[in-house]
Amino acid sequence: MNRIGKYVGIALLLFNHVSPLAVWASETEDEVQSSTSEAVESSVDTVEVLSESSEEISAEVESEIVSIEITNTTSPLSIGEKFKLEYTVETQGTPEMTYDWISSNPEIVSVDKEGNIEALGSGKATITLSVGDKEASVLLVVQPEITTIQINEIDLQLNVAETGQLSYVVSPSTAAETKEAVWSSSQSDVVSVDANGLITAVKEGVATVTVTIGAFTDSVTVTVNNPLPVFEIQMNKEKVLLGASETEKVHLVYSNLDERVKSLPISWSSSDNNVATIGSDGTIRAQSVGETTIIAKVEGKTATVNVVVSDPSVIYSTHIQSVGWQGEKKDGELSGTEGEAKRLEAIKVSIENLPFKGGVEYQTHVQSFGWMNWEQNGQLSGTEGLAKRLEGIRIKLTGEVSEYYDIYYRVHAQSYGWLDWAKNGEAAGTEGLAKRLEAIEIQLVKKGEVAPGSTATPYVYSNPVVSYTTHVQKQGWKNYVTNGEMSGTSGEALRLEAVKLNVSDLAYTGGIEYRTNIQSQGWQDWKSNNELSGTEGLGLRLEAIGIRLTGKLAENYDVYYRVHSQKFGWLDWAKNGESAGTVGLDLRLESLEVLVVKKGDKAPGNTKRPYVFSNPSVNYTTHVQKVGWQRTVSNGQMSGTSGQSLRLEGILINTFTQSLTGSIQYRTHVQKEGWQDWKENWEISGTQGKARRLEAVEIRLTDEMAQFYDVYYRVHAQSYGWLDWAKNGESAGTEGLAKRLEGIEIKLVRKGEKAPGSTIRSYVKK
């Protein structure tokens, strides 16, 4: 038995003399420390107090029990559970003590003389400890034993991969669970269960899940289903084109590739079996000209494909030199002559037996006339009675027919024989070579099917010719020049004011567009095919130009151009809409060269620098006493301080020049060191960590930057405040006066423009 006692000794002492030091002593053999002592058999202690004067005083202390406390309890208890109660007793002195333990209900909880208790049955009992006239009690509750266990959930249905949480209750509800619940599955490959009753459906099947607590169990049946996944269907084609008696097989595309989905039965049908039928394997069979919809159904899902049954023919007739109109030919037959050196002079083309909207358009390239207007559906293209040869032809389908068919055509050309097949508006024949067409074949081919022969070289031509003229200051419009020739002047200091361009001898559809950047107006809108870009009579210079090709021409050719610019001379070649010239420098264009080059061929010269754009900035930061490096500022903002008497100690400067060459250089006059060497582009000029003042600065530009810009700068100097502006390497600040620089401003100004302020007194020297 653990007994813990607290004993307190109390003495009332009367003194005629108060000693500064008292020593307590006990007549018993046990030592009394402070005012407490362990309990001993005697109930009264005699305590002596010895003072420095050796006076002795004795006192008797009364012993008693002050309090009792049971310090450990365990509730609720389970039947059969045993443990020992502990307690503390607080006493005064050393009283005699006897300990009595009593249970109010020993059939529920028993207790022996040492405080050992045992739970015997369910219910409540109060355990009391008596010591002398003091008592302490504790109420203990004993839980009943489990009689049954029941899973809350009834038989469950889950889909594969789903989870569920099982739980249970015991009876009676107040019963103690002295053992952990254990969960198990009869088929863990069907349903798995973790230690907390969380079940997971693994595969299709049935499993029994059981919970066990000691000798008690309960089970639930879990059925796992594997339902058909969600899916959508569509046809592998949006539309099908069939000729008479042709067949084509279609199939469904499933959004879910589960084999069970793909094996579902398909119901096929046709909205018009007179046009086309559909077999159980997805084979469509054409019956007659027309249009129908093939329908597939799977588990309530529907997919469709539009089917057109067509048997169109292309019909064409040619007008032949000295023969006149030949009879109609169709579907790839030769119209014209071979080996007779007779020219084709005109043609008519049409299509018959179309089940949908659309037709055919065509244009011919005629000797002396060039490309004629587009004609359609049996109209004449070319000439009659003028003895003009056809040199080239373009044919294209229109409307719905162009969605289902390609039209191919090839020609027999003088000196070349049969050229390769062109299609859908491409040029066939020759251009710029004065060669006659002698025969033609035309054929319809279903979309996606192979061409009837080689398509490598359907057309032979000379390169397109670009023609251009410029309006020159004092001279007006110059004569047209072509293919890289110079238009304008060189060495006469005369501005270009306007330009016109066109392109001819085209093997492909398309044209040429151009725009100009005009003094005080900026970039104009794009113009095309001999429209004027620029101004007349306003005395405004062109400063830059952009030129580009359009249509099929742009897919097969590049247009290159370069300009002669004031102060720069000939810049490099630009191409395909890039800018050529200058912007931001007020410089005139003086001449222009333009050339069309076949796609992939080399440029006519260097392409590195066709354009100079300038809107430069100057950036700078200073190292300030006690502050360090300040944030970077630009273009006239102050770096440093004003009115704080803090010296500048170092400076960093750079320029963002865009396409101008050159940089910015600077040097500083430093306390005790004098003028330092020139620095450039963010190198430190001055000092850092030496506590030395900057007293003056010089800044200058180089190369093209110096040619087009002045750099101005001014400083805030000790005792003087802001001095006037210096420029282009002049000194700003003081020298020989031991005056610190405190702030600086730097600006770039276009050559010839005004200074940002007074320039009279930028530098003071002793």
Side-chain angles (χ1 to χ4, degrees), residues 87 100 121 173 251-252 282 315 375 394 590:
Y87 61 93
D100 294 316
S173 60
H251 64 266
L252 289 179
I315 310 296
E375 306 294 344
R394 297 182 179 122
E590 297 177 349

Side-chain angles (χ1 to χ4, degrees), residues 452-564:
S454 173
T455 60
T457 310
Y459 194 55
V460 182
Y461 47 87
S462 59
N463 278 334
V465 175
V466 59
S467 305
Y468 46 100
T469 178
T470 54
H471 190 279
V472 179
Q473 174 188 359
K474 299 180 182 179
Q475 297 182 1
W477 287 103
K478 307 287 283 186
N479 291 330
Y480 273 92
V481 296
T482 61
N483 296 343
E485 295 178 314
M486 187 188 82
S487 181
T489 63
S490 177
E492 300 182 39
L494 297 176
R495 65 180 171 264
L496 298 188
E497 297 177 344
V499 65
K500 297 177 183 177
L501 294 93
N502 65 39
V503 63
S504 59
D505 289 344
L506 298 182
Y508 300 95
T509 58
I512 193 166
E513 294 181 338
Y514 42 95
R515 63 173 185 164
T516 52
N517 189 291
I518 301 173
Q519 173 188 352
S520 74
Q521 294 186 6
W523 286 104
Q524 285 195 325
D525 293 334
W526 290 93
K527 306 295 182 181
S528 63
N529 301 331
N530 269 335
E531 291 179 317
L532 183 149
S533 181
T535 62
E536 282 187 274
L538 299 180
L540 299 177
R541 65 181 171 266
L542 299 187
E543 296 180 354
I545 189 170
I547 307 173
R548 66 189 183 190
L549 302 175
T550 63
K552 287 283 187 181
L553 186 62
E555 295 177 16
N556 292 276
Y557 283 91
D558 296 317
V559 59
Y560 283 90
Y561 43 98
R562 67 172 184 164
V563 296
H564 191 280

Side-chain angles (χ1 to χ4, degrees), residues 132-203:
D133 60 351
K134 302 295 182 182
E135 291 184 349
S137 298
V138 63
L139 177 64
L140 298 180
V141 177
V142 181
Q143 291 180 313
E145 294 181 323
I146 295 174
T147 57
T148 60
I149 181 173
Q150 182 177 352
I151 294 175
N152 289 321
E153 292 73 23
I154 59 175
D155 291 349
L156 297 176
Q157 298 277 337
L158 294 178
N159 292 330
V160 170
E162 288 184 342
T163 61
Q165 181 64 55
L166 299 181
S167 61
Y168 65 89
V169 294
V170 298
S171 180
S173 60
T174 56
E177 293 186 34
T178 58
K179 296 184 179 180
E180 289 187 1
V182 177
W183 293 91
S184 61
S185 171
S186 64
Q187 293 194 85
S188 58
D189 60 335
V190 175
V191 178
S192 64
V193 61
D194 68 9
N196 299 312
L198 179 68
I199 58 174
T200 301
V202 179
K203 70 175 185 180

Side-chain angles (χ1 to χ4, degrees), residues 20 24 27 154 172 255 257 315 359 374 377 414 546 557 733:
W24 291 84
E27 290 183 349
I154 59 175
S255 63
L257 299 181
I315 310 296
W374 287 91
N377 302 331
Q414 176 187 356
Y557 283 91

Side-chain angles (χ1 to χ4, degrees), residues 217-278:
T217 66
D218 192 25
S219 299
V220 63
T221 299
V222 180
T223 301
V224 179
N225 301 309
N226 193 12
L228 202 63
V230 175
F231 68 95
E232 299 295 335
I233 59 172
Q234 64 181 39
M235 291 289 188
N236 64 311
K237 293 187 174 183
E238 294 182 0
K239 56 190 175 184
V240 172
L241 178 65
L242 296 176
S245 302
E246 288 184 342
T247 62
E248 184 167 338
K249 191 171 184 178
V250 293
H251 64 266
L252 289 179
V253 177
Y254 297 87
S255 63
N256 191 303
L257 299 181
D258 189 299
E259 288 298 327
R260 293 174 301 155
V261 172
K262 294 166 66 176
S263 63
L264 291 171
I266 304 171
S267 173
W268 295 95
S269 63
S270 171
S271 63
D272 190 343
N273 287 317
N274 292 321
V275 174
T277 60
I278 181 74

Side-chain angles (χ1 to χ4, degrees), residues 575-678:
K575 75 170 182 177
N576 299 342
E578 296 172 350
S579 297
T582 67
V583 169
L585 295 174
D586 297 334
L587 300 178
R588 64 182 171 265
L589 297 189
E590 297 177 349
S591 55
L592 170 70
E593 294 178 355
V594 188
L595 185 63
V596 175
V597 174
K598 192 167 181 62
K599 196 70 95 171
D601 286 355
K602 287 197 309 182
N606 198 332
T607 60
K608 184 176 181 180
R609 197 188 194 203
Y611 181 59
V612 181
F613 171 71
S614 181
N615 185 21
S617 63
V618 59
N619 312 300
Y620 45 99
T621 179
T622 53
H623 192 280
V624 178
Q625 174 189 359
K626 299 181 181 178
V627 177
W629 289 107
Q630 291 196 314
R631 67 179 181 85
T632 300
V633 296
S634 303
N635 302 331
Q637 295 175 302
M638 187 188 82
S639 182
T641 63
S642 178
Q644 299 182 39
S645 300
L646 298 176
R647 65 180 171 266
L648 300 187
E649 298 175 346
I651 190 167
L652 300 168
I653 311 175
N654 70 9
T655 56
F656 175 60
T657 65
Q658 288 156 320
S659 54
L660 287 178
T661 63
S663 64
I664 194 164
Q665 297 177 341
Y666 45 97
R667 66 174 185 162
T668 54
H669 191 280
V670 180
Q671 174 188 357
K672 298 181 181 181
E673 296 182 14
W675 286 103
Q676 290 190 331
D677 293 334
W678 288 94

